[in-house]
Amino acid sequence: MVDEQIERRGIQDDRVLAAMRKVERHCFLPDNLWESAYRDHPLPIGEEQTISQPYIVALMSESLRLVGDERVLEVGTGSGYQTAVLAELAKEVFTVEILPGLAERARSVLETLGYRNIHILIGDGRKGWPENALYDAILVAAAPREVPEALLEQLKEEGRLVIPVGEVNQELELYTRKAGATSSERIASVRFVPLR
Ligand code: SAH
């Protein structure tokens, strides 16, 4: 999967490629979907939500330019797959999921896999997780119509936020905070579930 769908499509960061090789996607899926686990598609994980497409997980992770000592906030834990990839790339991951059933399932998988640097909160990720702010990087895995202000406020100076924005046609955007101001760039056209 990584050779053909991720490296060939232009992901270059060696740490991201290593994390994508290490985290086994089938662990985050029900047994009846194991056969499809290494195809480059989103797949259903219940409650009308999906596990993200591997290439998009790699692209979002790479855009945060993590080196290993960061505290990262993720909004939309879902299956916990992207969370595990972030936990391989950063020091601590704080992840917020609004649906308790998904959060608990992700918690159990991530514990079984032995992750000790992941903290899960059940709640509305639009508010971020202020008790643990500020963050070096924030990744949002569901699309709002506009970037929630609370997330930009919880970003450190030089911090980066990657987020899909829009309704039907969404753009993956990267925000960087510098000298109190925020600049943004577009990375790709994407399709995520809506941020509630
Ligand atoms: N990256 C995840 C997929 C996330 S799907 C994976 O690979 O499995 C998006 C997730 O965001 C869903 O689980 C959905 O329940 C969650 N979500 C939607 N709105 C939210 C909100 N306001 N706060 C926190 N989580 C939210």
Side-chain angles (χ1 to χ4, degrees):
M1 176 187 89
V2 175
D3 289 356
E4 287 173 19
Q5 295 155 16
I6 293 180
E7 206 165 3
R8 195 171 297 167
R9 285 183 71 181
I11 302 297
Q12 292 178 341
D13 185 326
D14 288 334
R15 295 182 71 249
V16 171
L17 294 169
M20 296 298 297
R21 287 196 167 94
K22 181 166 174 196
V23 180
E24 298 185 296
R25 192 170 181 243
H26 74 267
C27 298
F28 300 87
L29 288 167
D31 324 7
N32 65 325
L33 290 175
W34 280 12
E35 222 182 301
S36 320
Y38 297 97
R39 297 193 194 132
D40 200 19
H41 297 296
L43 290 167
I45 54 170
E47 311 206 29
E48 292 172 29
Q49 305 305 314
T50 52
I51 185 170
S52 305
Q53 176 188 348
Y55 170 70
I56 297 294
V57 168
L59 182 67
M60 290 177 88
S61 303
E62 183 175 64
S63 72
L64 295 175
R65 290 195 206 142
L66 302 169
V67 299
D69 59 0
E70 296 87 356
R71 291 154 44 81
V72 179
L73 173 69
E74 178 190 42
V75 174
T77 318
S79 68
Y81 175 58
Q82 168 83 73
T83 321
V85 171
L86 290 173
E88 295 288 339
L89 295 170
K91 188 167 163 210
E92 300 284 339
V93 180
F94 300 87
T95 182
V96 186
E97 170 58 53
I98 203 163
L99 299 175
L102 291 182
E104 292 308 340
R105 202 184 312 152
R107 192 194 302 278
S108 135
V109 174
L110 293 164
E111 266 176 30
T112 306
L113 293 176
Y115 287 101
R116 297 282 172 270
N117 60 340
I118 294 174
H119 314 274
I120 302 179
L121 175 73
I122 298 170
D124 181 3
R126 281 180 182 272
K127 300 180 190 144
W129 190 342
E131 291 79 4
N132 295 302
L134 304 167
Y135 303 98
D136 299 286
I138 301 179
L139 183 153
V140 184
R145 285 163 69 174
E146 282 171 27
V147 180
E149 201 56 41
L151 297 181
L152 290 170
E153 284 166 7
Q154 289 172 35
L155 208 51
K156 253 185 212 166
E157 180 64 22
E158 306 275 332
R160 302 157 77 76
L161 161 69
V162 67
I163 183 169
V165 184
E167 283 183 271
V168 182
N169 300 312
Q170 304 162 2
E171 293 289 338
L172 191 61
E173 297 180 351
L174 180 69
Y175 290 78
T176 309
R177 198 174 178 101
K178 234 179 192 161
T182 324
S183 61
S184 75
E185 60 186 273
R186 288 187 173 188
I187 303 180
S189 296
V190 287
R191 220 162 162 182
F192 279 79
V193 297
L195 187 72
R196 297 172 181 227

